[in-house]
Amino acid sequence: MIFRALALVMMFMLASSTSFAAIAFRQGDQGKEIAEVQARLERMGYDVIADGDFGIATVEAVKDFQKTHGMTADGLVGDKTYAALMGRAMPEVSRGSNLITRRLINNAMQYIGTPYVFGGNSLYYGIDCSAYTQQIYASIGVNLPRTADYQFECGTPVSRADLIPGDEVFFTTYTYGASHCGIYIGNGEFIHASSTYGITVSSLNDSYYASRYIGARRMF
C-alpha cells in the first residue's frame, strides 16, 4: 500500500506538471495563429498562402525557413521556430484555441477499428483501453500512467454536466474502481478501446456505460 501510494503521488506530479512547451503548431492545425505564421512566411518570400490551414505547403515553407536559420527542419512551429519567425514568444497553445482538442480527437479517430487486446499496446495490431488513452494523450504532449486506475488519479475531476471534448471518462467494469476509460468527444459520446468492438465510438447514455460511469478527469 505504501509503495502504491508513493507511485500514485509520483505519477500525479508527472501528469500535473505536464507543460505545453513541447506543443507546436503543425500540419492539420487551423486558425488565426496559423494564418499569422503563414502571412509572415509569405512576406519573407516563401511559397505559402495565409489561409489559416497548416497544410503541406506550410510544412515545406517552415522546413525551408528552419534550414535557413540553422534549426532542425521538422516542419513544426515550436517555441524556437516561432520566436525566430515572428520576433516574439510563442502564444500559449491551449484548449481555448481549440487546436489541442481538435488534434487530440483527430488523432484518436484515426485508429477506429483497431482490435482490442488485453494488455496490448499497438495502435495498429491490438490495444487495451488505457494504453490507447495513454498513447493518444501522449500525441499532444500529455504524459499519463499506463493503467486506468492510475490515470483516474491524474488531472482535475469534472462533473458529467461539465464534460467538454478532450476530457477522459472512466468506468468500473471487470473489477472495482476505474477499470475502463475513454476520451469524451462531445454530444454525449466517447471514443475508447472496447473489449467487444475494438477502438470505437460509444454513447455515455448507453445503458451499459451509464450504469458503470464513475467520473471524468480533465488532463489539460
Side-chain angles (χ1 to χ4, degrees):
M1 289 296 293
I2 294 176
F3 175 79
R4 177 177 171 80
L6 288 172
L8 279 171
V9 170
M10 291 177 66
M11 290 180 177
F12 179 78
M13 289 176 65
L14 174 64
S16 10
S17 65
T18 297
S19 167
F20 283 95
I23 293 298
F25 295 129
R26 67 189 69 195
Q27 186 175 351
D29 287 344
Q30 297 176 323
K32 178 175 176 289
E33 296 96 338
I34 305 305
E36 290 177 349
V37 167
Q38 292 170 320
R40 178 61 175 163
L41 287 166
E42 188 176 17
R43 287 195 297 272
M44 295 175 72
Y46 293 96
D47 186 16
V48 64
I49 298 173
D51 59 3
D53 188 355
F54 202 131
I56 293 295
T58 305
V59 172
E60 294 306 317
V62 170
K63 285 182 178 179
D64 288 343
F65 173 84
Q66 290 170 324
K67 289 175 185 175
T68 300
H69 289 77
M71 293 182 279
T72 301
D74 56 11
L76 305 177
V77 182
D79 291 341
K80 185 176 179 180
T81 299
Y82 188 92
L85 179 61
M86 305 299 290
R88 60 178 186 267
M90 186 172 177
E92 181 181 357
V93 184
S94 66
R95 182 187 295 274
S97 71
N98 211 30
L99 289 172
I100 300 302
T101 302
R102 182 166 59 246
R103 187 183 303 157
L104 175 76
I105 294 175
N106 285 345
N107 292 348
M109 298 291 282
Q110 289 180 30
Y111 303 102
I112 285 181
T114 296
Y116 177 90
V117 173
F118 186 78
N121 60 9
S122 171
L123 286 166
Y124 298 96
Y125 302 111
I127 196 166
D128 65 20
C129 64
S130 55
Y132 173 63
T133 52
Q134 181 189 48
Q135 292 185 41
I136 296 303
Y137 279 108
S139 74
I140 62 162
V142 176
N143 298 310
L144 296 179
R146 172 64 178 82
T147 59
D149 57 341
Y150 280 124
Q151 290 178 17
F152 193 52
E153 300 294 331
C154 299
T156 304
V158 290
S159 69
R160 180 164 174 174
D162 292 329
L163 282 174
I164 57 177
D167 290 340
E168 186 171 4
V169 289
F170 295 86
F171 310 85
T172 182
T173 53
Y174 66 90
T175 189
Y176 178 78
S179 52
H180 187 65
C181 54
I183 299 170
Y184 186 66
I185 61 174
N187 297 318
E189 295 182 324
F190 67 105
I191 186 167
H192 62 129
S194 159
S195 59
T196 303
Y197 302 106
I199 296 177
T200 188
V201 173
S202 299
S203 172
L204 288 175
N205 298 317
D206 177 279
S207 59
Y208 178 84
Y209 294 109
S211 64
R212 290 166 173 79
Y213 180 83
I214 59 171
R217 294 291 188 273
R218 188 156 296 157
M219 301 302 187
F220 61 96

